[in-house]
């Protein structure tokens, strides 16, 4: 009887212990949407306009004093997913 209790405890600990690894793996496989910001924020309007042309966007927009390609973030993320 004691062996069964011990085995159940070990299985429970292994199950809980693997959660952080599963979360890390999930982020590695499916990156967070904010990762697109690293590819889409520019200091100057000219840089954002150049990237907009590369992405197929027709305009740029400002976000917190910086410039981003496309009319808005929704369009930017749509274009980034196409790449």
């Amino acid at each position: 009887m004691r062996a069964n209790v011990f085995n159940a405890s070990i299985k429970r600990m292994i199950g809980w212990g693997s959660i952080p690894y599963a979360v890390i793996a999930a982020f590695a496989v499916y990156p967070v949407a904010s990762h697109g910001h690293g590819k889409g924020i520019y200091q100057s309007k000219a840089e954002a306009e150049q990237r907009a042309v590369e992405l197929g966007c027709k305009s740029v927009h400002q976000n917190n004093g910086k410039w981003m390609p496309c009319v808005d973030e929704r369009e930017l993320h749509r274009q980034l997913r196409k790449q």
Side-chain angles (χ1 to χ4, degrees):
M1 179 73 177
R2 235 168 198 244
N4 289 339
V5 172
F6 180 75
N7 287 338
S9 297
I10 294 295
K11 287 180 184 176
R12 213 174 305 126
M13 286 189 313
I14 291 173
W16 282 105
S18 63
I19 290 175
Y21 297 110
V23 170
I24 291 168
F27 281 114
V29 173
Y30 186 76
V32 179
S34 65
H35 285 240
H37 286 274
K39 298 179 182 178
I41 294 181
Y42 298 92
Q43 296 295 326
S44 73
K45 184 176 182 180
E47 290 175 315
E49 287 172 337
Q50 180 181 354
R51 183 65 174 140
V53 170
E54 294 170 3
L55 290 170
C57 298
K58 297 185 188 317
S59 64
V60 296
H61 69 279
Q62 265 192 311
N63 185 340
N64 294 325
K66 300 198 178 169
W67 290 92
M68 298 181 78
C70 303
V71 70
D72 57 22
E73 288 185 56
R74 184 176 185 184
E75 178 66 20
L76 171 61
H77 290 282
R78 190 176 309 138
Q79 295 298 340
L80 287 172
R81 281 193 296 269
K82 289 180 181 179
Q83 292 186 339

